[in-house]
Amino acid sequence: MTVQRTSPVSNTERQRQFRARNPGYYGRLHAKRRAVIQARVAQMIALRQAMAVERVPLALPAPAVMIELPLMARVPAELVAAPPAAPKHMTFPPRADESLGA
């Protein structure tokens, strides 16, 4: 067998020749890729829809429970019941608009 030598051909011409010998090759190739991508997208959409349907709250609100600390029994009830009041002898500086004598 002898190998026939051909004249040099540019890459563009080589692609033209391939497309002429194989019509529809790239259409089928791209159709396969599109089908794979569309199948993945459909699978992801179905998965998201399934996740949205199955959402269930993990825990219900807990009932109110009084927490008892052992040291709280020693604190007098009057201190626990009311927050501390500000001292009566405390005075506040006048506001800026009052200090101008207006």
Side-chain angles (χ1 to χ4, degrees):
M1 267 175 55
T2 60
V3 176
Q4 292 181 349
R5 293 186 179 235
T6 59
S7 60
V9 179
S10 70
N11 189 31
T12 306
E13 185 59 34
R14 191 173 294 116
Q15 289 177 5
R16 255 189 230 123
Q17 292 170 356
F18 177 83
R19 289 178 183 199
R21 287 190 313 263
N22 302 291
Y25 172 81
Y26 287 104
R28 290 188 303 272
L29 178 68
H30 295 299
K32 287 179 186 177
R33 289 182 183 169
R34 276 194 307 271
V36 169
I37 291 170
Q38 288 174 351
R40 287 181 184 167
V41 168
Q43 185 180 18
M44 288 173 45
I45 290 172
L47 180 63
R48 286 185 181 180
Q49 288 175 346
M51 288 174 59
V53 170
E54 294 177 8
R55 289 193 181 182
V56 177
L58 297 178
L60 297 174
V65 176
M66 184 65 176
I67 299 175
E68 304 250 349
L69 299 175
L71 296 177
M72 287 298 288
R74 294 183 182 175
V75 178
E78 62 225 18
L79 292 178
V80 175
K88 293 182 181 180
H89 65 281
M90 181 181 284
T91 58
F92 296 100
R95 295 189 331 205
D97 58 347
E98 293 176 355
S99 64
L100 296 176

